[in-house]
Structure formats: C-alpha cells, structure tokens
C-alpha cells in the first residue's frame, strides 16, 4: 500500500513537473527559433552587402585600369605632339628659306625685266635711226648714182672740164660711197648686237621664270605638307584633351565608387555588429559546450600559433592561452566557422589577419611559446568559454556589461551591453565617411613585440568585431 502511494506520488510529481516545464521549454525553443531566423536575415543582408562591395571593388579596379590606359595614351600622344611640333618647326624653316629664294628670284626678274624694257627702247631708237639713214642713203644714191638730174654722177664727170678734175671728183664720189657703206654696215651690226643681247636677256628671263615656277611648286608642296602636319597636330591635341577628359571622368567615377565602398563597409560593419548581438543573445539562452580537443592539421597549428603571437605576443602565457581559447571556442561553437583557419580568416574579425601580420609571422615561424600555447588549446585546454576579447578601453567604450580582464585584454562570452556612464574622456566620434575599414571597434595598432614577457601589448586585435556563422 505504501509502495503504491509512493509510486502514485512520484507519478503525480513527474506529471506536475512536465506540465510546469513543458510550456517553458516550448517558449524557449520558439525564442531560439526566432533568433535564428533574425540571424539568417541579418546574414542575408551581410551577404548582399558583401556582394555589392565585391562588385564595387571590381568596378573600381576596372576604372583604375581604364584610367591607367588613358594616362598611357596621353603620354604617347604628348610624345607624338612634340614630334609633330618639331616637324612643323622644320617645315617652317624650309618655308622661310624658300620664301627668301622666291623673293630673290622676283627681284632678279624685276632687274631683267627692266633691262629688257631698256633694250627694247634702245632697239626702237636704233631701228628708227637705221630707217632714217637708209632713207637718206636711198635719196642720195638716187640723186648721185642714177642717171639724170643735175647731181648725177655722169653730169659731175662731164662738168669736170679737165682730166684732173675728173679724177678728183671720182675720188670724192668713191669716198662718199665708202662712207655710206660704212654707216650702213654699222647700223646693221648695231641691230645684230642688240638682237643678240635681247635674246640673251630673254633667255635669262625664261630661266628665272622656270626657277621661280620650281620654287613656287616646292613652296606649295611644302605648305601643303605643313598644313597636313598641322592637321595631325590639332587632331593629336584634341585626342589629348579627350583622353584627359576620360581620366577626369574616371576619377569622378572612382571617387563616387569609393564613397559607395565606404558606405557599404559601414553598413556591413553595422549589420555584423547586429549579428554579433543576435548570436550573443541566442547563446545566452542555450549556452554551448565548447570544451574538448580538436584534430588540427600542421597548417592549422601554424595559423593558430601565428595568430596567438600577433594578438598576444606581449601578454603572459595565460593571456596567450586565453586568446587561443577564444579561437578554439569559436571552432566548437555553432555560431562560427568550424575550422581554425575559417575562424581566423573570417571577414571583419581579426585585425592582425587583415593587416597581414599573421601571415608575416607564419612566413618567419611563430615562437616556441606561442606554438606551445596553440598545442595546448588544440588539445583541449581552455581559459574560460569566452567567444570575444578586446582591450578594456574598447570594452568600456562599447559598454560590454560583463568581462574578465586577463592581462591587457577583456574577455567575455556574451556581447551584452549596458548604458555607458558619463566619462571625462570623450569617446571617438564616428566620421561621416570613414577612411579606414569600418568595424564595430576602431582599428587596433600593430604590435611587433613577440617576446614572451608580460609588458603591455598595444595590439587591440583579436577583438571579435563581428561573428559570422559560416555553417
């Protein structure tokens, strides 16, 4: 009877517990489901923003290549323009030389023309004089040599009276005839000389005419070539202006895309920060077990050791383990990539990776202390179940409500914020157009101190700017 009562009581209690807890569990499951849906929407937003960012980067790259090509074209066109200017200068000098020769030829033509005019005048005078002399000679010959008339030769001989007078008159007449013949010959010789000289001058005039025509032809040809080269120069200069216009247009487009890039990065950072809060809220309801070892490859060990050194090179060994624990906790968490390299290279997460510091350390090899810390956290060692870390300054700046200080870093599991208290030190003011890669926290300063001491590490990296679930 007693046993039956106990069984009945236990059944009633179990039923009561089930009735009491079942609605709570259902409500909690619904809340988790809603949070996951919100996370998925935020991821879709981030994915779309990242797609736009990639497309914008590709557009900027293409424009930069086009601008570089236009710049090269301008450089080539400038060289071509300089060559054309030099060619035009050479043609201009030749044109000046030809102009001088043409001017000299024209002056020579003027002189020859004046000589021809003068010779023609002389020739006209001589022709008239010759004609006058010939007329006089004809008259005298007619009166002297022809029969008849009081002055006829026969009459002169008959009137001589004596033989002596006849001889004297004959000598006179012979001298007169000789004189007339001489004058006629002189006139004829003068006419021949003038004709020869005139022919020579005309020949010279023809030569000068031919020379001038040749010069005119060369001048016209050279002038035509010069005009053609000037046309090329004008075309080249127009092309230079067009290419410079393209460059200016590319610069404007690139500047516009840069502004778009910054806006997209800012929006992405805000969306990632919102996703971080959503994931943190969900994880606070169903806290995950992130303990245990991990089967890591040699490459993953190198990545983890290099990241620990980049983020906590100047921290204590516990600080190094804490940074390694955050990375391994993320690997084990459903909210982050499930591999070491996936967690470290996740977009907008570890500043030391984005800056290239991690890969530089990998190239040289991480120090033995950081390698040891990496091996321990891979083997299952943990310093807390933290998923986030940053410097105390930024933890307070963001108003993180709960965190644990290990060295110079603030570690925490949930991204839960509280209302910030008034601080005498003003917080950094956000810029309308950020000039650095936008993240929920300002960019950390790089720290090249890889010593295994406990001096202050100025590297604020490692802070989880935005967690993204890539599962």
């Amino acid at each position: 009877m007693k046993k039956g009562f106990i069984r009945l009581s236990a059944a009633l209690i179990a039923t009561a517990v089930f009735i009491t807890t079942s609605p709570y569990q259902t409500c909690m499951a619904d809340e988790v489901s809603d949070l996951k849906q919100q996370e998925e929407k935020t991821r879709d937003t981030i994915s779309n923003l990242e797609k736009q960012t990639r497309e914008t980067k590709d557009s900027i790259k293409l424009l930069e290549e086009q601008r570089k090509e236009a710049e090269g074209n301008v450089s080539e066109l400038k060289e071509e323009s300089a060559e054309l200017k030099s060619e035009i200068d050479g043609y201009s000098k030749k044109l000046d030389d030809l102009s001088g020769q043409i001017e000299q030829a024209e002056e020579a033509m003027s002189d020859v023309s004046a000589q021809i005019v003068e010779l023609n005048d002389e020739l006209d005078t001589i022709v008239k004089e010759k004609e006058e002399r010939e007329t006089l000679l004809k008259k005298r010959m007619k009166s002297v040599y022809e029969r008849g008339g009081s002055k006829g030769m026969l009459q002169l001989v008959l009137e001589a009276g004596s033989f002596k007078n006849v001889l004297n008159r004959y000598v006179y007449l012979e001298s007169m005839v000789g004189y007339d013949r001489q004058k006629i010959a002189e006139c004829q010789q003068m006419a021949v000389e003038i004709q020869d000289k005139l022919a020579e001058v005309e020949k010279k005039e023809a030569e000068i005419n031919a020379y001038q025509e040749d010069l005119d032809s060369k001048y016209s040809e050279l002038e035509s070539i010069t005009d053609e080269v000037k046309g090329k120069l004008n075309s080249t200069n127009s092309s230079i202006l067009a290419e410079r216009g393209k460059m200016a247009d590319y610069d404007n487009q690139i500047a516009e895309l840069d502004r778009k890039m910054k806006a997209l990065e800012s929006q992405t950072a805000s969306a990632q920060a919102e996703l971080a809060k959503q994931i943190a809220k969900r994880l606070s309801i169903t806290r995950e077990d992130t303990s245990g070892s991990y089967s890591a490859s040699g490459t993953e060990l190198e990545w983890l050791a290099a990241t620990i050194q980049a983020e906590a090179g100047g921290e204590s060994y516990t600080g190094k383990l804490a940074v390694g624990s955050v990375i391994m906790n993320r690997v084990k968490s459903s909210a982050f990539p499930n591999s070491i390299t996936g967690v470290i290279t996740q977009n907008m997460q570890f500043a030391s990776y984005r800056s290239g510091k991690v890969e530089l350390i990998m190239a040289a090899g991480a120090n033995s202390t950081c390698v040891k810390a990496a091996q321990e956290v891979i083997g299952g060692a943990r310093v807390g179940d933290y998923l986030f870390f940053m410097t105390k300054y930024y933890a307070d700046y963001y108003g993180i409500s709960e965190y644990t200080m290990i060295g110079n870093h603030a570690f925490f599991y949930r991204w839960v914020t509280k209302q910030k208290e008034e601080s005498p030190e003003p917080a950094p003011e956000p810029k309308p157009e950020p000039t650095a890669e936008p993240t929920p926290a300002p960019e950390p300063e790089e720290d090249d101190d890889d010593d295994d001491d406990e001096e202050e590490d100025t590297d604020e990296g490692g802070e989880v700017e935005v967690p993204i679930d890539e599962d």
Side-chain angles (χ1 to χ4, degrees):
M1 180 71 178
K2 188 175 181 179
K3 289 182 179 179
F5 177 76
I6 292 172
R7 290 193 192 99
L8 179 60
S9 299
L12 290 171
I13 292 169
T15 302
V17 170
F18 174 78
I19 293 171
T20 304
T21 58
S22 180
Y24 172 75
Q25 291 173 343
T26 302
C27 181
M28 184 174 64
D30 290 344
E31 186 178 359
V32 170
S33 178
D34 290 342
L35 287 171
K36 284 185 176 180
Q37 289 179 5
Q38 292 176 17
E39 290 173 26
E40 192 60 33
K41 288 181 180 179
T42 306
R43 286 191 183 93
D44 289 342
T45 299
I46 292 171
S47 177
N48 183 49
L49 288 169
E50 289 177 339
K51 180 183 177 183
Q52 292 182 54
T53 300
R54 287 192 299 272
E55 291 173 349
T56 304
K57 283 182 179 178
D58 291 341
S59 297
I60 290 175
K61 184 178 179 181
L62 177 61
L63 285 170
E64 287 176 342
E65 289 174 354
Q66 291 175 336
R67 189 194 184 284
K68 187 175 181 181
E69 182 181 354
E71 190 174 12
N73 291 340
V74 168
S75 179
E76 291 178 3
L77 288 168
K78 281 183 176 179
E79 291 179 2
E80 184 178 341
S81 176
E83 291 175 359
L84 289 170
K85 286 179 181 177
S86 177
E87 190 174 349
I88 288 173
D89 290 341
Y91 288 150
S92 296
K93 186 177 183 306
K94 289 181 180 179
L95 284 171
D96 291 341
D97 293 342
L98 283 174
S99 295
Q101 294 178 36
I102 290 171
E103 186 176 350
Q104 291 176 359
E106 289 175 347
E107 290 177 358
M109 278 293 296
S110 297
D111 293 341
V112 172
S113 296
Q115 293 177 30
I116 290 173
V117 170
E118 184 178 351
L119 287 172
N120 282 327
D121 291 341
E122 290 180 7
L123 184 60
D124 288 342
T125 301
I126 291 172
V127 168
K128 288 179 181 179
E129 182 180 352
K130 178 174 174 292
E131 289 176 351
E132 290 175 356
R133 287 189 179 186
E134 286 178 345
T135 300
L136 291 174
L137 282 172
K138 284 180 180 179
K139 289 179 178 180
R140 187 164 61 250
M141 288 176 68
K142 186 175 182 180
S143 62
V144 174
Y145 300 111
E146 292 180 359
R147 290 181 175 271
S150 58
K151 299 295 183 181
M153 183 178 290
L154 180 60
Q155 185 67 31
L156 287 174
V157 171
L158 293 175
E159 291 177 355
S162 65
F163 184 73
K164 182 177 179 181
N165 289 335
V166 170
L167 289 175
N168 289 334
R169 289 188 176 189
Y170 178 78
V171 171
Y172 165 74
L173 291 171
E174 187 177 6
S175 297
M176 185 176 64
V177 170
Y179 172 78
D180 289 339
R181 288 177 178 173
Q182 181 182 352
K183 292 299 179 182
I184 291 172
E186 288 177 359
C187 286
Q188 291 175 342
Q189 182 62 32
M190 185 181 296
V192 170
E193 289 177 359
I194 289 175
Q195 288 294 341
D196 291 342
K197 192 170 185 180
L198 185 60
E200 183 181 351
V201 171
E202 288 176 348
K203 181 181 178 182
K204 187 175 181 182
E205 183 182 35
E207 291 176 355
I208 292 176
N209 275 330
Y211 178 62
Q212 188 177 30
E213 287 176 1
D214 182 59
L215 289 177
D216 289 339
S217 175
K218 289 180 178 178
Y219 189 88
S220 298
E221 181 181 357
L222 192 58
E223 194 173 35
S224 176
I225 294 173
T226 303
D227 290 340
E228 181 181 349
V229 176
K230 284 181 178 178
K232 290 181 181 178
L233 179 61
N234 291 335
S235 176
T236 301
N237 290 336
S238 297
S239 298
I240 290 174
L241 291 176
E243 292 298 318
R244 283 178 174 167
K246 288 182 183 179
M247 289 172 62
D249 186 49
Y250 292 147
D251 287 338
N252 291 334
Q253 293 183 57
I254 289 171
E256 183 64 30
L257 288 175
D258 281 337
R259 287 191 288 270
K260 182 179 178 181
M261 274 285 295
K262 290 169 184 175
L264 287 170
E265 288 170 349
S266 179
Q267 294 173 35
T268 303
S270 298
Q272 289 172 330
E274 181 61 28
L275 180 60
K277 294 176 183 178
Q278 292 170 352
I279 292 174
K281 186 175 182 180
R282 176 169 61 84
L283 293 179
S284 68
I285 297 173
T286 56
R287 198 177 189 97
E288 295 179 324
D289 180 12
T290 58
S291 63
S293 61
Y294 172 81
S295 179
S297 65
T299 301
E300 286 185 304
L301 175 62
E302 291 178 7
W303 273 96
L304 182 57
T307 305
I308 291 173
Q309 182 171 324
E311 299 289 352
E315 297 291 321
S316 66
Y317 188 69
T318 302
K320 292 177 174 62
L321 287 174
V323 169
S325 295
V326 168
I327 295 172
M328 293 312 303
N329 288 338
R330 288 189 171 198
V331 173
K332 292 285 187 174
S333 172
S334 64
F336 299 91
N338 58 4
S339 68
I340 291 174
T341 52
V343 167
I344 293 170
T345 60
Q346 190 178 12
N347 188 30
M348 300 295 288
Q349 296 303 299
F350 290 89
S352 57
Y353 166 70
R354 296 200 311 276
S355 68
K357 185 176 181 180
V358 170
E359 292 177 286
L360 285 174
I361 293 173
M362 284 181 65
N367 62 44
S368 58
T369 306
C370 293
V371 172
K372 178 63 177 173
Q375 290 172 336
E376 287 203 33
V377 293
I378 287 174
R382 296 286 190 278
V383 179
D385 58 355
Y386 312 117
L387 293 173
F388 305 86
F389 74 95
M390 60 182 63
T391 61
K392 184 178 185 302
Y393 174 84
Y394 287 104
D396 292 339
Y397 171 71
Y398 284 114
I400 304 300
S401 59
E402 298 175 1
Y403 60 80
T404 300
M405 291 299 300
I406 301 176
N408 295 293
H409 288 136
F411 292 82
F412 51 97
Y413 177 79
R414 296 186 303 162
W415 189 298
V416 180
T417 59
K418 60 185 178 181
Q419 187 171 359
K420 291 187 287 186
E421 298 177 357
E422 293 294 330
S423 173
E425 181 179 2
E429 295 183 3
K431 298 181 179 179
E433 294 183 0
T435 56
E437 185 179 11
T439 64
E443 281 288 334
E445 298 178 0
E446 295 296 332
D447 176 25
D448 296 330
D449 182 7
D450 295 335
D451 297 336
D452 191 22
D453 54 24
E454 297 188 17
E455 65 184 56
E456 181 174 316
D457 181 10
T458 58
D459 188 353
E460 298 144 2
E463 51 193 80
V464 177
E465 289 105 359
V466 193
I468 298 178
D469 186 359
E470 294 184 355
D471 292 345

